[in-house]
Amino acid sequence: MRALVAATIGLAAALVLVVAISAIGAPPGETSPKPLLTSVPGPKK
């Protein structure tokens, strides 16, 4: 019986977390104006 109660509480907590994150919404997703400084490795000698 205790396991059933613990599972129910855990499921309710997870559901509340999902609803709260959904209510907040996604971040705007803006990109940075600065390019990433990456380089391609040169040919091996």
Side-chain angles (χ1 to χ4, degrees):
M1 189 66 179
R2 270 193 237 170
L4 184 62
V5 172
T8 304
I9 292 172
L11 184 62
L15 186 62
V16 166
L17 185 63
V18 168
V19 170
I21 291 174
S22 298
I24 291 170
E30 298 171 359
T31 58
S32 172
K34 296 181 181 178
L36 293 174
L37 300 176
T38 59
S39 60
V40 178
K44 293 186 179 179
K45 294 184 179 180

